[in-house]
Amino acid sequence: MEWLLLARLLWSLLFLCADLTEGVTITSTEQTMVTKALGEKVTLLCQYTLAAGDEGLLDIEWVVLEPKKEQPVIMYSQNTVYDKYHMAGRVQFVNQNPADGDASIDILNLQPADSGTYQCKVKKAPDMQTHRVQLSVYEKPQKTKCYVEGSQEIGTDVTLKCKSQGGTPLISYHWGKMGKEGLPDRSSLNSDTGDLLIKNASRASSGTYKCVASNRVGADECSLVLNVTPPVNRAGTIAGAVIGTLLGLCLLAFIIFCCCKKQREKKYEKEVHHDIREDVPPPKSRGSTARSYIGSNRSSLGSMSPSNMDGYAKTQYNKVPSEDFERTSPQNPNFQPPKVAAPNLSRMGAIPVMIPAQSKDGSIV
């Protein structure tokens, strides 16, 4: 009887421990870290089971854990979904009814800012369970370019460059040569910088090379054609460059000389054209002198009588001032001024006067 009572007691304790351990249990605990590419979709798992003794309301909550707070993502409570948070329009439950045991969510069009630690909380009184997932959003390498640095001549060191314009570090670069030959024996690759150095290049180094840039979420590639040629005649190139430079300098000097010469000629012509002697006075006009003298004596001609007209005709016209006489011999009293001819008087503006003939006794004929 004692053994029977002991057995019943142990059986009761086992059932009591089973009831204490049962409750909300999250079963998708294998997903702890997820890495996705920019613009892709990710599914964060949160599958659970409920205990028969849990009779409270079911609440499901997804949040992003930040250093000082929890930022809500999506919630389910009392048969209602709440998703109007900072990811509105890009987040949704995988199951339309999360109460069926699946609270997993889909996040669409991933952005770099979506990286972080996400926590799923399932609560049904009196029990509650949580599960965390670390999400990392990376950008694939893109716009990868290949080019050659240095001379592509036989015997020189040639460097093949490979660089991606975008992509989240760390990016790894790998070079390969198309065909069966593979990379040259004297080549070395830096997978971090994407440089492939080919030492002492030969014709066998020529060919098509391909570079692949990759990180944790994707890859991108580019290619180039390497053509190793014999070295050019550098002495002839240098001599041609020197000769061309000298010819150019000579032509430039000749043009400068011609321009200076032409400028000097123009300057000389301008100085000769404007050379005026200030010590020589301008000549006086004879016409104005004679005209003023004749005009001042017009009134006296009309008042002269015939008796004295003869003397006036002989002497008055001889008194027309002469510039040559005044300028050449003003101190010679015996000098007789030259007579002015009638045509010259006309040109000087003189007015002709008709003098009537007279008899010896002074009467007019």
Side-chain angles (χ1 to χ4, degrees):
M1 292 294 293
E2 293 179 358
W3 288 101
L4 183 60
L5 292 175
L6 183 60
R8 289 180 178 177
L9 180 60
L10 292 175
W11 188 254
S12 299
L13 290 174
L14 290 174
F15 271 101
L16 179 61
C17 293
D19 291 339
L20 291 175
T21 56
E22 289 181 358
V24 178
T25 303
I26 296 178
T27 60
S28 56
T29 57
E30 70 280 359
Q31 187 189 51
T32 57
M33 296 185 64
V34 180
T35 301
K36 286 292 183 178
L38 179 70
E40 293 184 350
K41 181 187 81 170
V42 65
T43 300
L44 303 182
L45 300 178
C46 185
Q47 298 170 350
Y48 64 92
T49 59
L50 300 174
D54 295 335
E55 297 180 355
L57 295 176
L58 177 64
D59 290 331
I60 299 173
E61 181 184 75
W62 276 95
V63 296
V64 179
L65 299 180
E66 297 182 352
K68 296 183 179 180
K69 64 178 181 179
E70 296 179 355
Q71 187 171 3
V73 176
I74 191 171
M75 294 182 181
Y76 174 84
S77 179
Q78 299 182 4
N79 300 325
T80 304
V81 175
Y82 301 92
D83 58 357
K84 303 302 181 182
Y85 301 104
H86 72 284
M87 288 187 181
R90 295 195 298 120
V91 63
Q92 61 188 13
F93 283 105
V94 175
N95 193 335
Q96 293 183 356
N97 185 12
D100 291 341
D102 188 2
S104 304
I105 60 172
D106 287 336
I107 301 178
L108 311 177
N109 189 22
L110 287 171
Q111 303 297 319
D114 296 338
S115 298
T117 302
Y118 290 76
Q119 176 178 275
C120 173
K121 181 189 294 185
V122 180
K123 179 181 179 181
K124 189 171 184 181
D127 200 3
M128 180 187 68
Q129 289 290 325
T130 61
H131 176 63
R132 297 179 180 180
V133 180
Q134 180 68 37
L135 173 62
S136 299
V137 180
Y138 285 2
E139 182 181 2
K140 296 179 181 179
Q142 57 183 342
K143 298 180 181 180
T144 304
K145 293 184 179 181
C146 297
Y147 59 95
V148 181
E149 184 179 76
S151 175
Q152 302 183 39
E153 297 179 357
I154 295 176
T156 60
D157 295 342
V158 181
T159 302
L160 306 185
K161 294 279 190 177
C162 181
K163 193 67 177 177
S164 292
Q165 302 299 319
T168 304
L170 298 168
I171 300 177
S172 179
Y173 298 91
H174 298 279
W175 279 95
K177 186 178 181 183
M178 307 295 291
K180 300 179 180 180
E181 300 177 0
L183 294 176
D185 297 334
R186 295 180 298 275
S187 63
S188 59
L189 171 64
N190 188 333
S191 60
D192 295 331
T193 62
D195 294 350
L196 177 64
L197 175 62
I198 303 176
K199 295 183 178 181
N200 193 19
S202 62
R203 285 190 178 274
S205 304
S206 300
T208 303
Y209 291 79
K210 182 176 72 173
C211 174
V212 178
S214 60
N215 60 7
R216 298 181 62 180
V217 295
D220 192 24
E221 64 182 37
C222 62
S223 61
L224 59 81
V225 177
L226 177 64
N227 185 22
V228 181
T229 59
V232 296
N233 186 4
R234 298 185 182 277
T237 303
I238 295 174
V242 172
I243 294 174
T245 303
L246 292 176
L247 291 176
L249 292 175
C250 292
L251 180 60
L252 180 61
F254 178 74
I255 294 175
I256 294 174
F257 173 76
C258 292
C259 293
C260 293
K261 184 178 179 181
K262 189 174 182 180
Q263 189 69 19
R264 287 196 301 267
E265 292 177 354
K266 289 183 177 180
K267 184 177 180 181
Y268 177 76
E269 292 177 357
K270 185 177 180 180
E271 291 178 353
V272 172
H273 181 71
H274 294 283
D275 189 9
I276 301 175
R277 295 183 61 184
E278 298 181 355
D279 57 342
V280 179
K284 298 181 180 180
S285 174
R286 294 184 177 181
S288 60
T289 304
R291 189 180 301 111
S292 60
Y293 181 80
I294 297 300
S296 62
N297 292 284
R298 286 182 181 176
S299 58
S300 59
L301 291 176
S303 60
M304 297 294 291
S305 61
S307 59
N308 57 7
M309 186 65 69
D310 183 46
Y312 180 81
K314 293 180 179 180
T315 59
Q316 294 298 323
Y317 284 102
N318 293 334
K319 293 183 180 179
V320 176
S322 174
E323 290 179 342
D324 295 336
F325 171 76
E326 294 176 355
R327 183 171 57 252
T328 56
S329 57
Q331 298 178 355
N332 189 359
N334 298 323
F335 178 77
Q336 297 296 329
K339 295 183 179 181
V340 182
N344 292 335
L345 291 175
S346 299
R347 284 195 297 269
M348 289 187 294
I351 300 175
V353 179
M354 181 178 291
I355 300 175
Q358 297 178 355
S359 62
K360 292 181 179 181
D361 57 357
S363 62
I364 299 173
V365 179

Short mmCIF file of all heavy atoms in Angstrom, two decimals, residues 34 67 88 115 122 132 229 253 272 277-278 281 303 326:
data_model
loop_
_atom_site.label_atom_id
_atom_site.label_comp_id
_atom_site.label_asym_id
_atom_site.label_seq_id
_atom_site.Cartn_x
_atom_site.Cartn_y
_atom_site.Cartn_z
N VAL A 34 19.66 37.14 -41.04
CA VAL A 34 19.24 37.13 -42.43
C VAL A 34 19.96 38.26 -43.16
O VAL A 34 20.03 39.39 -42.66
CB VAL A 34 17.72 37.30 -42.59
CG1 VAL A 34 17.32 37.28 -44.06
CG2 VAL A 34 16.97 36.21 -41.81
N PRO A 67 18.62 51.54 -29.68
CA PRO A 67 19.36 51.70 -28.42
C PRO A 67 18.51 52.19 -27.25
O PRO A 67 18.71 51.77 -26.11
CB PRO A 67 20.44 52.73 -28.78
CG PRO A 67 20.65 52.54 -30.25
CD PRO A 67 19.31 52.19 -30.81
N ALA A 88 4.80 51.37 -43.28
CA ALA A 88 3.46 51.20 -43.83
C ALA A 88 3.51 51.01 -45.33
O ALA A 88 4.18 51.75 -46.06
CB ALA A 88 2.60 52.42 -43.48
N SER A 115 17.97 47.69 -42.04
CA SER A 115 18.87 46.81 -41.27
C SER A 115 18.67 47.04 -39.78
O SER A 115 18.51 48.17 -39.32
CB SER A 115 20.32 47.08 -41.65
OG SER A 115 20.54 46.81 -43.03
N VAL A 122 4.87 37.07 -28.84
CA VAL A 122 3.56 36.41 -28.83
C VAL A 122 3.11 36.31 -27.37
O VAL A 122 3.81 35.70 -26.53
CB VAL A 122 3.63 35.02 -29.48
CG1 VAL A 122 2.25 34.35 -29.47
CG2 VAL A 122 4.16 35.13 -30.90
N ARG A 132 14.12 36.90 -31.62
CA ARG A 132 14.83 37.99 -32.31
C ARG A 132 15.54 37.48 -33.56
O ARG A 132 16.10 36.38 -33.56
CB ARG A 132 15.82 38.66 -31.37
CG ARG A 132 15.17 39.34 -30.18
CD ARG A 132 16.19 39.96 -29.26
NE ARG A 132 15.55 40.61 -28.12
CZ ARG A 132 16.21 41.25 -27.16
NH1 ARG A 132 17.54 41.32 -27.22
NH2 ARG A 132 15.55 41.81 -26.16
N THR A 229 51.89 44.95 -77.71
CA THR A 229 52.55 45.26 -78.99
C THR A 229 54.03 45.53 -78.78
O THR A 229 54.47 45.82 -77.67
CB THR A 229 51.88 46.49 -79.62
OG1 THR A 229 52.00 47.60 -78.72
CG2 THR A 229 50.41 46.23 -79.91
N ALA A 253 58.22 83.56 -84.22
CA ALA A 253 59.13 84.71 -84.22
C ALA A 253 58.98 85.53 -85.49
O ALA A 253 59.01 86.77 -85.47
CB ALA A 253 60.57 84.22 -84.06
N VAL A 272 54.98 111.81 -89.83
CA VAL A 272 55.27 112.68 -90.98
C VAL A 272 54.03 113.46 -91.40
O VAL A 272 54.08 114.63 -91.75
CB VAL A 272 55.83 111.85 -92.14
CG1 VAL A 272 55.96 112.70 -93.40
CG2 VAL A 272 57.18 111.27 -91.76
N ARG A 277 55.29 122.85 -88.69
CA ARG A 277 56.27 123.78 -88.13
C ARG A 277 55.54 124.98 -87.53
O ARG A 277 54.86 125.72 -88.22
CB ARG A 277 57.22 124.24 -89.22
CG ARG A 277 58.08 123.11 -89.77
CD ARG A 277 59.05 123.63 -90.81
NE ARG A 277 59.95 124.62 -90.19
CZ ARG A 277 60.86 125.32 -90.88
NH1 ARG A 277 60.99 125.14 -92.17
NH2 ARG A 277 61.64 126.18 -90.24
N GLU A 278 55.73 125.14 -86.25
CA GLU A 278 55.04 126.21 -85.55
C GLU A 278 55.74 127.57 -85.70
O GLU A 278 55.15 128.61 -85.45
CB GLU A 278 54.93 125.87 -84.07
CG GLU A 278 54.12 124.60 -83.82
CD GLU A 278 54.02 124.31 -82.35
OE1 GLU A 278 54.66 125.04 -81.58
OE2 GLU A 278 53.31 123.36 -81.98
N PRO A 281 54.70 131.53 -89.85
CA PRO A 281 53.30 131.96 -89.80
C PRO A 281 52.58 131.61 -91.08
O PRO A 281 53.20 131.51 -92.14
CB PRO A 281 53.41 133.48 -89.62
CG PRO A 281 54.74 133.83 -90.21
CD PRO A 281 55.63 132.67 -89.93
N SER A 303 32.62 160.76 -106.22
CA SER A 303 32.62 162.21 -105.96
C SER A 303 33.74 162.97 -106.66
O SER A 303 33.85 164.18 -106.53
CB SER A 303 32.71 162.44 -104.44
OG SER A 303 33.92 161.87 -103.95
N GLU A 326 55.81 145.25 -98.84
CA GLU A 326 55.90 145.47 -97.40
C GLU A 326 56.82 144.49 -96.74
O GLU A 326 57.49 144.79 -95.76
CB GLU A 326 54.50 145.37 -96.79
CG GLU A 326 53.56 146.46 -97.25
CD GLU A 326 52.18 146.25 -96.70
OE1 GLU A 326 51.98 145.20 -96.05
OE2 GLU A 326 51.32 147.09 -96.93
#
